[in-house]
C-alpha cells in the first residue's frame, strides 16, 4: 500500500509538470501570434474626369467606403494622373489633378499609391516633377502619423531604375514596387519605372524582380503593373498569365495589375506542399472612381461601356508566426462598389449591394434601382479562382 501511495504521488507530479509545460507552450504560441496579422486592401484606378473634379466636396466621393478602407493596415490604389497645382485640372486625353483631389482619397484611408501609368507624363516633365514633389511632401508629413503614406513608380533622378518603397509595421516588412508597360507618349521614360511589354524585357524584368527580393528581405512583396492590354476587355492572355506566374516564382506575393478599367478576375495561389494559400494575382480591379460612365445605359445595363462604373476592393489578410514560417493568407474578401450619379450630378462611390438598391427604390429613383440591381448581378460574376501550384 505504501508503494501505491508513492507511485500515485510521483504520477501526480509528472502529470502536473506536463500540464504546466503544455499551458506554457500554449501561452507562448498565443504570444507569438500577437501582431502577426496584417490586412491589405487593393483598389483600382482613381480617375479625375471633368464630372469628378467639378464637385465642390471631394470628401463626399469616399464616404460610403471610408470605414472599409480605414479597417485595413494598408490600402493600395492607382493614381491615374499627374498632380500639378500650377496647371489647370484637365480631363481626357491629357489628365491633371490638384493635390486636394488625391488628398481626399488619403483622408478616406488610402495610403499606398502607384503613381505610374500611361498618363504619368500627360503634363510633361513639369507634371512628373510636381507629382514627385507632392508625393515627397505627403510622405514626410505622414511619416510619424499612425497611417503613413507611400508612393512608387516615378524617380527623382533620370535613369534611377527601379524605384520602390520599404514599408514597415510592427514585425511586418512589405516591399512595394509599381511599374507601367504603357505610356501615351514616349517622353521622359527615364523618370519612370517603365518595362516594355516584350518577351525579352519580361525575361529581364523577372531577373530584376528576383534580385530586388533578394536585396530587400521582406514578408510580402507587392508588385503593381499598369499593363499594356486592351481597355474594357475581360479576357486574360495566357502568355501574360504565365509571365505573371514567373514573377510569383521569383519573389512576388501580390501581383496587382490595372489599366483595362473594368473589374477582371482574380487568382488566389495555393502552395501544394504547405496546403496554404500564399499568393494573389489581381488582373484588374476596375475604376474605383471615374467619370467614364457619365451616361448610364438604363435600357441596356450590360452595355460594355457601363462596366467602367463598377469595381471591387480586394481585402487580403496575411498571417505569420515564428512557428509557421512563410506568411500565408488566412482570409480574403471582395467588396463590390459602383459609381453613382446622385440627383445633384455628383459622382460618388457606393457599395454595390442590396441596401443601396433598396435605398434607391425607396427614395424615388426606380430607374437607378433597377439598373444597379442588374449591374450587381453582372459584376458579381467576376471570376475568382484558387490555383494550387
Amino acid at each position: 500500500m505504501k508503494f501505491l501511495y508513492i507511485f500515485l504521488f510521483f504520477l501526480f507530479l509528472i502529470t502536473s509538470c506536463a500540464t504546466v509545460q503544455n499551458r506554457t507552450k500554449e501561452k507562448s504560441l498565443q504570444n507569438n501570434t500577437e501582431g502577426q496579422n496584417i490586412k491589405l486592401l487593393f483598389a483600382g484606378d482613381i480617375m479625375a474626369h471633368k464630372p469628378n473634379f467639378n464637385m465642390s466636396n471631394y470628401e463626399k466621393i469616399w464616404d460610403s467606403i471610408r470605414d472599409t478602407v480605414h479597417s485595413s493596415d494598408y490600402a493600395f490604389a492607382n493614381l491615374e494622373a499627374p498632380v500639378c497645382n500650377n496647371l489647370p485640372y484637365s480631363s481626357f486625353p491629357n489628365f491633371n489633378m490638384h493635390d486636394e483631389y488625391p488628398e481626399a482619397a488619403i483622408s478616406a484611408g488610402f495610403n499606398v499609391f502607384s503613381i505610374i501609368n500611361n498618363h504619368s507624363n500627360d503634363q510633361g516633365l513639369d507634371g512628373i516633377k510636381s507629382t514627385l514633389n507632392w508625393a515627397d511632401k505627403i510622405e514626410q508629413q505622414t511619416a510619424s502619423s499612425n497611417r503613413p503614406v507611400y508612393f512608387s513608380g516615378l524617380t527623382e533622378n533620370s535613369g534611377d531604375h527601379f524605384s520602390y518603397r520599404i514599408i514597415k509595421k510592427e514585425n511586418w516588412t512589405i516591399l512595394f514596387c509599381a511599374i507601367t508597360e504603357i505610356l501615351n507618349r514616349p517622353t521622359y521614360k527615364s523618370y519612370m519605372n517603365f518595362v516594355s511589354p516584350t518577351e525579352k524585357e519580361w525575361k529581364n524584368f523577372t531577373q530584376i524582380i528576383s534580385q530586388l527580393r533578394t536585396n530587400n528581405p521582406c514578408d510580402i512583396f507587392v508588385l503593381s503593373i499598369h499593363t499594356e492590354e486592351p481597355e474594357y476587355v475581360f479576357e486574360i492572355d495566357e502568355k501574360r498569365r504565365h509571365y505573371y506566374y514567373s514573377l510569383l516564382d521569383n519573389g512576388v506575393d501580390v501581383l496587382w495589375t490595372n489599366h483595362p478599367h473594368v473589374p477582371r478576375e482574380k487568382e488566389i495561389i495555393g502552395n501544394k506542399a504547405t496546403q496554404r494559400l500564399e499568393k494573389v494575382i489581381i488582373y484588374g480591379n476596375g475604376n474605383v472612381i471615374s467619370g467614364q460612365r457619365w451616361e448610364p445605359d438604363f435600357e441596356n445595363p450590360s452595355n460594355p461601356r457601363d462596366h467602367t462604373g463598377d469595381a471591387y476592393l480586394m481585402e487580403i489578410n496575411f498571417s505569420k508566426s515564428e512557428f509557421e514560417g512563410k506568411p500565408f493568407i488566412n482570409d480574403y474578401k471582395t467588396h463590390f462598389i459602383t459609381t453613382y450619379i446622385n440627383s445633384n450630378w455628383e459622382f460618388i462611390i457606393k457599395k454595390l449591394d442590396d441596401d443601396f438598391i433598396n435605398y434607391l427604390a425607396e427614395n424615388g429613383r426606380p430607374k437607378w434601382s433597377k439598373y444597379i440591381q442588374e449591374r450587381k448581378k453582372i459584376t458579381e460574376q467576376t471570376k475568382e479562382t484558387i490555383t494550387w501550384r
Side-chain angles (χ1 to χ4, degrees):
M1 197 68 171
K2 180 179 178 182
F3 289 109
L4 177 62
Y5 287 141
I6 293 171
F7 172 75
L8 291 174
F9 175 73
F10 279 107
L11 181 63
F12 170 76
L13 287 178
I14 292 168
T15 54
S16 297
C17 289
T19 302
V20 170
Q21 287 174 353
N22 286 337
R23 286 176 181 167
T24 302
K25 184 177 181 181
E26 182 180 333
K27 184 177 180 182
S28 175
L29 282 166
Q30 290 173 349
N31 288 342
N32 281 312
T33 57
E34 290 179 5
Q36 298 288 316
N37 303 303
I38 195 164
K39 183 192 292 186
L40 309 184
L41 183 139
F42 295 88
D45 303 315
I46 296 178
M47 310 290 291
H49 294 91
K50 191 172 182 179
N52 305 120
F53 60 68
N54 273 356
M55 288 179 59
S56 59
N57 179 8
Y58 300 140
E59 297 286 341
K60 193 173 183 179
I61 294 171
W62 306 98
D63 285 344
S64 178
I65 63 169
R66 193 177 298 273
D67 289 346
T68 301
V69 178
H70 269 287
S71 72
S72 66
D73 294 290
Y74 295 102
F76 295 71
N78 170 53
L79 199 57
E80 191 140 351
V83 182
C84 185
N85 290 351
N86 295 328
L87 296 170
Y89 272 99
S90 181
S91 187
F92 182 84
N94 296 312
F95 286 101
N96 186 55
M97 58 179 69
H98 291 177
D99 55 14
E100 59 191 349
Y101 189 83
E103 285 175 22
I106 293 172
S107 174
F110 287 99
N111 58 345
V112 188
F113 294 90
S114 163
I115 49 174
I116 184 65
N117 46 72
N118 54 306
H119 291 287
S120 293
N121 58 355
D122 276 5
Q123 302 301 326
L125 187 57
D126 287 345
I128 291 171
K129 290 191 173 182
S130 177
T131 304
L132 277 165
N133 289 338
W134 168 76
D136 184 60
K137 181 192 74 171
I138 294 296
E139 286 190 347
Q140 290 185 40
Q141 287 178 349
T142 62
S144 58
S145 72
N146 61 358
R147 202 167 180 86
V149 182
Y150 304 88
F151 302 87
S152 176
L154 299 176
T155 180
E156 290 275 355
N157 301 305
S158 176
D160 287 353
H161 285 174
F162 284 83
S163 66
Y164 56 89
R165 286 291 180 272
I166 302 295
I167 302 170
K168 290 182 178 290
K169 181 180 176 65
E170 296 172 351
N171 58 349
W172 286 90
T173 300
I174 299 171
L175 171 61
F176 174 57
C177 179
I179 71 159
T180 188
E181 297 179 333
I182 180 172
L183 294 170
N184 290 348
R185 51 192 60 77
T187 53
Y188 310 113
K189 286 182 183 178
S190 57
Y191 289 88
M192 308 179 195
N193 286 355
F194 175 75
V195 177
S196 182
T198 65
E199 288 193 39
K200 180 181 177 181
E201 289 303 312
W202 279 358
K203 185 176 181 180
N204 181 54
F205 183 61
T206 301
Q207 294 172 350
I208 291 172
I209 285 301
S210 177
Q211 194 63 48
L212 191 60
R213 176 79 189 231
T214 300
N215 293 344
N216 298 277
C218 60
D219 298 295
I220 303 170
F221 185 178
V222 178
L223 176 64
S224 168
I225 302 181
H226 206 76
T227 65
E228 203 284 320
E229 294 180 277
E231 295 180 322
Y232 323 122
V233 173
F234 290 96
E235 291 74 23
I236 312 299
D237 178 75
E238 286 305 305
K239 185 182 293 185
R240 178 171 288 276
R241 191 189 300 272
H242 287 293
Y243 164 54
Y244 289 172
Y245 288 160
S246 71
L247 291 172
L248 298 185
D249 292 341
N250 280 275
V252 174
D253 298 298
V254 179
L255 187 49
W256 167 52
T257 80
N258 284 292
H259 178 63
H261 300 296
V262 294
R264 304 208 300 173
E265 69 176 276
K266 51 190 178 294
E267 193 171 359
I268 300 90
I269 312 296
N271 185 328
K272 286 183 178 179
T274 63
Q275 287 298 294
R276 299 276 199 184
L277 299 177
E278 294 181 352
K279 297 177 183 258
V280 175
I281 303 174
I282 300 172
Y283 291 93
N285 299 78
N287 293 326
V288 62
I289 185 65
S290 79
Q292 285 189 286
R293 191 174 66 187
W294 62 274
E295 194 174 20
D297 192 340
F298 293 108
E299 300 303 318
N300 181 24
S302 61
N303 184 325
R305 189 73 176 182
D306 284 55
H307 299 317
T308 63
D310 300 323
Y312 63 84
L313 313 175
M314 186 174 185
E315 179 183 299
I316 309 171
N317 293 280
F318 282 93
S319 292
K320 70 172 182 177
S321 79
E322 64 180 275
F323 300 100
E324 298 287 354
K326 183 176 174 59
F328 61 92
I329 298 166
N330 67 42
D331 191 24
Y332 61 91
K333 186 177 182 181
T334 301
H335 304 269
F336 291 106
I337 59 174
T338 191
T339 297
Y340 168 59
I341 308 171
N342 67 15
S343 55
N344 295 322
W345 219 67
E346 295 173 316
F347 286 56
I348 57 178
I349 301 167
K350 290 290 186 179
K351 293 179 180 178
L352 191 54
D353 59 19
D354 290 336
D355 287 343
F356 181 49
I357 292 167
N358 294 334
Y359 166 84
L360 291 168
E362 293 166 2
N363 285 271
R365 304 208 88 182
K367 185 185 290 188
W368 265 101
S369 178
K370 184 179 178 182
Y371 174 79
I372 292 297
Q373 188 172 32
E374 291 304 309
R375 289 302 315 165
K376 178 175 180 286
K377 292 177 185 176
I378 293 166
T379 306
E380 286 181 343
Q381 292 174 12
T382 302
K383 186 177 179 182
E384 177 183 294
T385 307
I386 295 178
T387 303
W388 294 94
R389 302 180 68 235

